[in-house]
Amino acid sequence: DAVIRLEDATKVYSLPFGDVVALDKVCISVIPGEFIAIMGPSGSGKSTLLNLIGSLDVPTSGDIYIDGRNTRTLSDDELTELRRDRIGFIFQQFNLIPLLTVLENVEYPMILKSRQAVKGSSRAHDLLMRIGLTEQMLAHKPKELSGGQQQRVAIARALINDPAILLCDEPTGNLDQATGRIIMDLLLEVNRRGKTIIMVTHDADIAAYASRTITIVDGKVA
Ligand code: ADP
Ligand code: ADP
C-alpha cells in the first residue's frame, strides 16, 4: 500500500493579474521505503509539491493521502499531529533554532509531542551520536558548527519522533560537494533503515542517490 498518494493534485495561486497553476492534476504513488528525487526547472512546482505532501498547504483540487488518510478530511489539529508524528522536514538552510543548543534543537520536537522536557535527553543524545556528532558539540549553538554538522543536527531533529516520511528540500544546496556527498550517504543510510524519503533537488548527481526520479515540468509530471 502507498504511504503517499496524490490523485489529480492541483494547486492554483490566485494573483491580482490572474491565476498561476503551480501543480496540474499530479498523480504520484509512493511505496513505503522508496527514496524519490523530485527534479525539474525552477518554477516548475517542486516546492509546491513538497508543501502539499507535507500538509503545509492544501490542494485547490484533487486529493492527497498519507498513510491512506485523505488529508482533506482531517481537521487542523489532525494535520498538525500528522506533520509532527509522521513527517520529518529537512531544508537547504537547516532551519535550526539559533538560540537553542544542538541538543535542545533535537529535543524540541520531542517535547512538543510529549509535552514533557525530561525524558527526551538520552534519546536525542543517542541519536546525535549515531548521526555522527561528538559529545562536545551538543552544548554548542548551531552557528558554531560547520554546514555539514548543522545538517546532521537537522537530520537528527527530523528523525527524533521516528517519522515514516522524510521530506528534504535541496538538502545539500548549502553545502560544498564533498560535504553534500557525506550528507547524502547519511540520508541513504536513513532510507535503508526504513524511512521513505522525498527529496527535491536540481542536481542530477544528488538525484542519483534516489531509487526513482520524478520530473516536474510546468506543474505536470513529465
Ligand atoms: P519550484 O519549487 O519548482 O521552483 P514552485 O513550487 O516554487 O516551483 O512554484 C511553482 C509556480 O507557482 C511558480 O510559477 C511560482 O511563481 C508559483 N508560486 C509558488 N508559490 C506561490 C505563492 N505563494 N503565491 C503565488 N505564486 C506562487
Ligand atoms: P532504531 O530503529 O534503529 O532503534 P532509533 O529509534 O534509535 O533507531 O532512531 C530513530 C531513527 O533514526 C531510526 O528509525 C533510524 O532510521 C534513524 N537512525 C538511527 N541511527 C542512525 C544512523 N546511524 N544512521 C542513519 N539513521 C539512523
Side-chain angles (χ1 to χ4, degrees):
D1 272 8
V3 62
I4 300 165
R5 194 154 56 90
L6 283 76
E7 276 185 7
D8 291 330
T10 297
K11 180 72 190 180
V12 180
Y13 293 105
S14 294
L15 300 172
F17 50 84
D19 289 346
V20 175
V21 182
L23 278 185
D24 190 5
K25 296 192 175 172
V26 168
C27 298
I28 294 173
S29 197
V30 180
I31 289 164
E34 273 198 286
F35 187 162
I36 294 184
I38 309 280
M39 294 197 77
S42 177
S44 59
K46 303 182 297 295
S47 303
T48 302
L49 177 64
L50 212 59
N51 288 344
L52 290 182
I53 295 173
S55 306
L56 297 166
D57 204 350
V58 288
T60 312
S61 65
D63 296 291
I64 296 172
Y65 298 83
I66 307 287
D67 295 333
R69 298 163 83 200
N70 189 339
T71 56
R72 195 177 281 291
T73 67
L74 303 180
S75 66
D76 283 351
D77 283 352
E78 286 171 326
L79 284 174
T80 302
E81 202 172 298
L82 181 78
R83 273 197 302 271
R84 195 191 59 204
D85 298 350
R86 303 295 290 158
I87 302 172
F89 295 88
I90 294 163
F91 306 92
Q92 178 171 359
Q93 304 292 346
F94 321 130
N95 292 12
L96 298 167
I97 302 174
L99 291 175
L100 299 183
T101 66
V102 163
L103 184 64
E104 288 163 349
N105 264 280
V106 176
E107 287 173 338
Y108 188 61
M110 201 174 203
I111 293 168
L112 286 183
K113 184 179 178 183
S114 67
R115 296 196 173 79
Q116 50 178 317
V118 255
K119 265 182 53 193
S121 289
S122 80
R123 181 172 162 75
H125 176 278
D126 291 352
L127 189 55
L128 279 161
M129 294 297 112
R130 292 170 64 182
I131 293 280
L133 291 179
T134 65
E135 199 80 45
Q136 62 167 43
M137 291 174 189
L138 302 187
H140 287 192
K141 299 287 162 58
K143 285 287 178 282
E144 299 172 74
L145 305 187
S146 70
Q149 289 162 347
Q150 288 184 62
Q151 196 59 303
R152 284 176 194 269
V153 176
I155 291 170
R157 177 186 58 183
L159 290 173
I160 191 73
N161 285 340
D162 205 17
I165 302 164
L166 276 194
L167 300 182
C168 312
D169 197 351
E170 301 277 6
T172 62
N174 220 15
L175 305 173
D176 63 67
Q177 258 187 31
T179 308
R181 278 196 291 271
I182 292 168
I183 290 299
M184 288 313 299
D185 285 334
L186 180 57
L187 288 178
L188 207 51
E189 171 72 17
V190 168
N191 173 245
R192 291 198 176 116
R193 286 165 172 271
K195 305 295 181 205
T196 303
I197 301 185
I198 313 284
M199 170 183 71
V200 166
T201 181
H202 66 270
D203 183 336
D205 292 339
I206 295 299
Y209 282 83
S211 47
R212 175 155 70 110
T213 296
I214 295 173
T215 304
I216 306 285
V217 178
D218 285 340
K220 293 188 173 76
V221 176

